[in-house]
Amino acid sequence: MSNEEKKEERSLNFLEEIIEADLAAGKYKEIMTRFPPEPNGYLHMGHATSICLNFGLSKKYGGGTNLRFDDTNPVTEETEYVDSIKEDVRWLGFEWANEHYASDYFEELYQLAEKLIKKGLAYVDDSASEEIAEQKGTPTQPGRRNQFSERSIEENLQLFREMRDGKYKDGEKVLRAKVDMSSPNMLMRDPILYRIKHAHHHRTGDKWCIYPMYDFAHGQSDSIEKITHSICTLEFVPHRELYDWLIEKLEIFPSHQYEFARRNLTYTVMSKRKLLQLVTEKHVDGWDDPRMPTISGMRRRGYTPEAIREFCDRIGIAKRDNIVDVGLLEFFVREDLNKKALRKMVVFDPVKLVITNYTQDEEMLESENNPEDPNGGEREVPFSGELYIEREDFMENPPKKYFRLAPGQMVRLKSAYIIRCDEVVKDEKGNVTELGCSYIPESKSGADTSGIHVKGTLHWVSVKHAVTVEVREYDRLFKVEDPSSEEGNFKDYINPDSLKIVKNAFAEPSLKNAKFEERYQFIRKGYFTLDKDSSTSGIVFNKTVGLKDSWKPQTAKK
């Protein structure tokens, strides 16, 4: 059964049930969703879930998904973030129907705000932010309106226009909706719709000095774009009442908000504020550090968009926040890479092996590119009488059932010959420096007539053909499952061993021509990808994921 057929068999989630009911009732001919990031940072795995959900629904039911940048806060927003967000969405495999910015609607939003004022449903308040907060009351005590709420419609219009014209300083006045100061929903207690902020905007420059708040810009932008299903995370549940109130009072297209639960990952943090701390305090090497849960970090680490999409689809959506084991994401990455990664031989911690009876200078052997791919073909690997093998693949005094190399013991060299260890050479400190071996000429892989059977197979690299590479091995960024919930500062739980660097690993020569778009399995080591730091003077690989989940939870120590 194909993946597509499996997906069809799965039961509908609650959003799909809502959409199917809306379509069956003729409420919409097609659906329109949107992905509305604020361009104040890089997207992370939580955003990937939302992207896959919104674009996946419009693809399944017909319609489209808009990419809309919620750029209503000029202080924190940069074009760099806009560009990175577009790159991430496309890399995940999606194309938006329309590209919009909340700033596209600044004039229209302003006119809608005036419409509320003219209806007597908004007023200009001169109170300081502390006073407004105090006047709102508490969850058990109703709020109270101040004298500014009694201003006339004409005075409010004049003051709001003066706010737009730059007559007042930041924080001197705000525009508030006139809703219900006794509402059990604190957000409905005359929420702020506009604030003054004399700041340069990345798209509108200095044209505006008043900016709409999220609650005013979001629902109205949805309505302008005729979004049928506005899908948010659970923290926006209290905002839905104001979302609906504004649409009703403004008498505009009735977009509707629906909420689903966040899916956080273990052993990391998903807060933009905390991720920014990790970057600015240099606990990681930028937003695209391969240990980061950002989409750009996962891309640099070698995760594939297919694996991320499958992960998002399989974990589904729910109505209660949950934390998902990062091992599940790694499982889907491993499953995808197993099918497409090119097999290569790389030795991380070498010991030299000399085949004493090998009389040729060298020969070219054939080795499969990917045994999981019937059309993967083979590559040539140079073989000679001097090889590197992993130091851990030799033991001088092995235990029983040890199937790798030991004195007098035989193993097969991957895609090559069976060898036997005859001699161990050590330095003055007793460290093994060289292994003397003999090979069985009749045991060549694919043409073995020796009749000898061995249980161990080792990877290797020819000494004179070896390419020196740097390998960066990444592990969990934090030592505990949920660092945000632990006592103290979340940074106290950073894993000091989350990055290990092998400066001089030896690779088969084909990796000299490694490509960024290719994925590699270093045989018996894991999956790897070429890093952006690679240059003509050095080749750098990042470990994407191991061949199996070998993580052992550690006890957190400050």
Side-chain angles (χ1 to χ4, degrees), residues 150-167:
E150 302 304 318
R151 282 173 163 157
S152 67
I153 289 174
E154 292 72 20
E155 185 181 4
N156 281 317
L157 279 174
Q158 180 183 342
L159 290 171
F160 190 49
R161 289 165 182 171
E162 288 174 349
M163 286 169 61
R164 174 178 179 163
D165 293 340
K167 185 174 180 179

Side-chain angles (χ1 to χ4, degrees), residues 485-498:
S485 69
E486 298 286 346
E487 292 182 6
N489 193 309
F490 77 101
K491 291 176 291 185
D492 295 337
Y493 301 97
I494 291 175
N495 177 12
D497 300 318
S498 63

Side-chain angles (χ1 to χ4, degrees), residues 127-359:
S127 304
S129 57
E130 297 81 7
E131 294 174 310
I132 291 174
E134 188 272 329
Q135 291 162 9
K136 278 200 169 188
T138 69
T140 57
Q141 297 250 339
R144 66 184 189 281
R145 287 202 174 109
N146 56 43
Q147 71 273 23
F148 303 114
S149 64
E150 302 304 318
R151 282 173 163 157
S152 67
I153 289 174
E154 292 72 20
E155 185 181 4
N156 281 317
L157 279 174
Q158 180 183 342
L159 290 171
F160 190 49
R161 289 165 182 171
E162 288 174 349
M163 286 169 61
R164 174 178 179 163
D165 293 340
K167 185 174 180 179
Y168 304 107
K169 298 176 184 176
D170 290 6
E172 202 168 341
K173 296 182 188 297
V174 295
L175 180 71
R176 297 176 67 180
K178 201 169 189 176
V179 189
D180 180 3
M181 290 299 283
S182 62
S183 172
N185 182 350
M186 297 289 287
L187 283 172
M188 297 299 286
R189 297 185 183 181
D190 290 13
I192 297 173
L193 303 181
Y194 268 85
R195 80 284 200 201
I196 301 170
K197 191 170 286 290
H198 292 270
H200 186 81
H201 189 277
H202 74 107
R203 294 187 77 243
T204 60
D206 299 315
K207 180 179 178 181
W208 292 89
C209 62
I210 59 171
Y211 291 93
M213 302 296 286
Y214 169 86
D215 280 313
F216 190 67
H218 185 64
Q220 284 48 256
S221 297
D222 283 348
S223 183
I224 291 167
E225 295 174 19
K226 292 185 168 44
I227 301 301
T228 59
H229 298 79
S230 178
I231 302 166
C232 306
T233 45
L234 283 179
E235 68 265 32
F236 292 98
V237 168
H239 298 251
R240 191 197 321 142
E241 187 177 0
L242 180 56
Y243 184 104
D244 293 342
W245 185 89
L246 286 166
I247 284 178
E248 177 192 346
K249 300 304 181 186
L250 290 167
E251 303 172 88
I252 53 180
F253 179 84
S255 296
H256 192 70
Q257 176 180 305
Y258 302 89
E259 305 86 17
F260 72 101
R262 286 181 179 272
R263 286 288 195 261
N264 293 318
L265 284 176
T266 55
Y267 299 102
T268 190
V269 293
M270 301 281 257
S271 156
K272 274 188 182 178
R273 179 182 58 82
K274 291 177 179 177
L275 293 175
L276 180 61
Q277 278 184 268
L278 293 175
V279 172
T280 55
E281 296 175 18
K282 300 191 182 302
H283 297 288
V284 294
D285 180 28
W287 285 98
D288 67 345
D289 186 296
R291 293 165 291 183
M292 291 278 275
T294 55
I295 295 175
S296 56
M298 292 186 287
R299 180 165 64 245
R300 184 177 174 187
R301 188 162 176 168
Y303 284 17
T304 62
E306 294 86 357
I308 293 173
R309 292 198 304 266
E310 182 67 10
F311 168 76
C312 291
D313 182 64
R314 293 289 288 274
I315 64 171
I317 61 168
K319 294 184 179 182
R320 187 171 63 182
D321 286 341
N322 201 357
I323 187 165
V324 180
D325 190 344
V326 70
L328 183 60
L329 172 59
E330 292 171 343
F331 168 81
F332 287 113
V333 172
R334 196 178 290 116
E335 287 284 293
D336 189 46
L337 290 178
N338 184 48
K339 294 177 287 187
K340 62 181 59 165
L342 299 173
R343 274 43 171 180
K344 303 291 181 182
M345 292 192 282
V346 182
V347 174
F348 288 20
D349 182 17
V351 63
K352 191 175 181 180
L353 184 152
V354 178
I355 305 177
T356 54
N357 64 333
Y358 188 79
T359 57

